[in-house]
Amino acid sequence: MPTLTEAPPPRTAAAPAKPPRRRGRFTPYWLLLPGILWLVVFFALPMVYQASTSVQTGSLEKGYQVTWHFATYWDALAEYWPQFLRSVLYAAAATVLCLLLGYPLAYLIAFRAGRWRNLIMVLVIAPFFTSFLIRTLAWKTILADNGPVVHAMNSLHLLDLTGWLGWTAGDRVLATPLAVVCGLTYNFLPFMILPLYTSLERIDGRLHEAAGDLYARPWTTFRKVTFPLSLPGVVSGTLLTFIPAAGDYVNAELLGSTDTRMIGNVIQTQFLRVLDYPTAAALSFILMAAILAMVTFYIRRAGTEDLV
């Protein structure tokens, strides 16, 4: 007789597997911790201290106390607004000159330098190996009254034009706005060239070939293809040039005169000579707020989504 086999026992539902333990969940935060601590200690805390200093009253002998005297901001702005305006004008002029000088050089390095690319890049970066102060002092020799630069400008009657514009005085360049702008342009030119080169290098050369195949002239190719694609580098370069130039005081101190003082010179004087700490702190915050507002407006108008 056939034997009956026992039916297999019913299957029971398997117990849910334990989720794997997430290891290293806090690793990104631990990696960010040193940078956050650095910003807190050397940026946030000094900013808070300066903010409290700007609303203090008193004197160095009797001490300062926080009295929430916000009128210091208005008084500082009312007294030193010419230096603020001068700083913006000088920084804007230096930024425009850096763009006009730096864009052709960055274009040359990106598309035409060939095997000389690395050498030209070294020459662009080489000034950083010299002290900022020494580089600025060198311009006192370059723009000396009896130097070849001033002699050439006199021969070409360029000083007549710059004098009419108010950038020079008489037959000299030193201690004039032109000397300060030249120093700013030279010192911050690499900050313009490097972002421009990085942006231009990313452009695919086949786009230029395609434009040529469509019978576009070189100027049309540059206007329709190259320049729009390099706008992130233009915006980055102008910001990296304008922001430090607006707060600079070394060039105005060494190459300018009392008539070319920038707001950085005023802040330095208030902190180190006059010892009026509330006014100096208020001027610093006004300068920071003004630059932040201009940069925000500029970035929004430029529409540079690639920067973020």
Side-chain angles (χ1 to χ4, degrees):
M1 294 179 61
T3 61
L4 297 176
T5 59
E6 296 181 357
R11 294 183 178 180
T12 58
K18 294 182 179 181
R21 185 177 180 182
R22 296 180 63 183
R23 297 181 177 180
R25 182 173 53 181
F26 298 101
T27 300
Y29 300 100
W30 287 112
L31 294 176
L32 289 174
L33 185 60
I36 294 175
L37 290 176
W38 181 276
L39 289 176
V40 169
V41 174
F42 295 103
F43 181 76
L45 292 180
M47 290 283 290
V48 173
Y49 177 76
Q50 290 299 324
S52 66
T53 303
S54 65
V55 292
Q56 293 178 358
T57 55
S59 62
L60 189 63
E61 293 80 10
K62 298 180 180 180
Y64 290 98
Q65 294 181 352
V66 178
T67 57
W68 307 105
H69 189 259
F70 290 99
T72 304
Y73 285 87
W74 174 254
D75 296 338
L77 185 60
E79 183 175 358
Y80 298 109
W81 68 266
Q83 286 81 0
F84 272 106
L85 181 60
R86 189 179 298 130
S87 298
V88 173
L89 291 177
Y90 288 0
T95 302
V96 172
L97 287 175
C98 285
L99 181 60
L100 295 177
L101 296 173
Y103 200 102
L105 182 57
Y107 186 92
L108 172 67
I109 299 173
F111 299 116
R112 297 288 187 268
R115 62 177 182 176
W116 302 102
R117 175 180 300 180
N118 294 333
L119 176 61
I120 299 177
M121 286 297 298
V122 170
L123 294 177
V124 170
I125 303 174
F128 286 117
F129 293 95
T130 307
S131 170
F132 187 92
L133 183 61
I134 295 176
R135 283 184 280 140
T136 306
L137 287 172
W139 275 87
K140 297 190 70 172
T141 304
I142 296 173
L143 299 178
D145 295 342
N146 297 324
V149 174
V150 176
H151 179 72
M153 295 180 68
N154 269 320
S155 301
L156 298 174
H157 300 286
L158 293 178
L159 289 180
D160 297 334
L161 175 61
T162 56
W164 179 74
L165 294 174
W167 287 93
T168 57
D171 294 335
R172 67 192 317 259
V173 177
L174 279 178
T176 63
L178 181 61
V180 178
V181 172
C182 286
L184 292 173
T185 303
Y186 168 75
N187 282 306
F188 296 110
L189 183 60
F191 292 100
M192 178 69 74
I193 296 175
L194 295 178
L196 286 173
Y197 166 72
T198 302
S199 184
L200 288 169
E201 191 186 27
R202 294 170 54 187
I203 300 177
D204 193 343
R206 291 175 293 183
L207 296 175
H208 295 161
E209 297 177 1
D213 294 338
L214 296 174
Y215 302 101
R217 295 184 177 181
W219 170 247
T220 304
T221 302
F222 173 79
R223 185 167 54 89
K224 295 290 187 179
V225 179
T226 306
F227 187 75
L229 293 177
S230 66
L231 276 179
V234 173
V235 175
S236 300
T238 51
L239 292 179
L240 291 175
T241 303
F242 178 82
I243 293 175
D248 182 76
Y249 65 91
V250 176
N251 290 274
E253 182 72 23
L254 299 179
L255 302 178
S257 64
T258 55
D259 296 329
T260 61
R261 284 168 56 86
M262 300 171 64
I263 193 61
N265 302 101
V266 177
I267 294 174
Q268 180 205 26
T269 302
Q270 293 294 325
F271 263 122
L272 302 180
R273 298 180 185 176
V274 182
L275 304 180
D276 187 355
Y277 300 135
T279 300
L283 289 172
S284 300
F285 271 90
I286 294 173
L287 177 62
M288 182 180 63
I291 292 178
L292 183 62
M294 288 185 290
V295 167
T296 302
F297 175 78
Y298 175 64
I299 291 178
R300 288 186 176 181
R301 293 291 297 176
T304 53
E305 292 82 1
D306 292 342
L307 292 178
V308 295

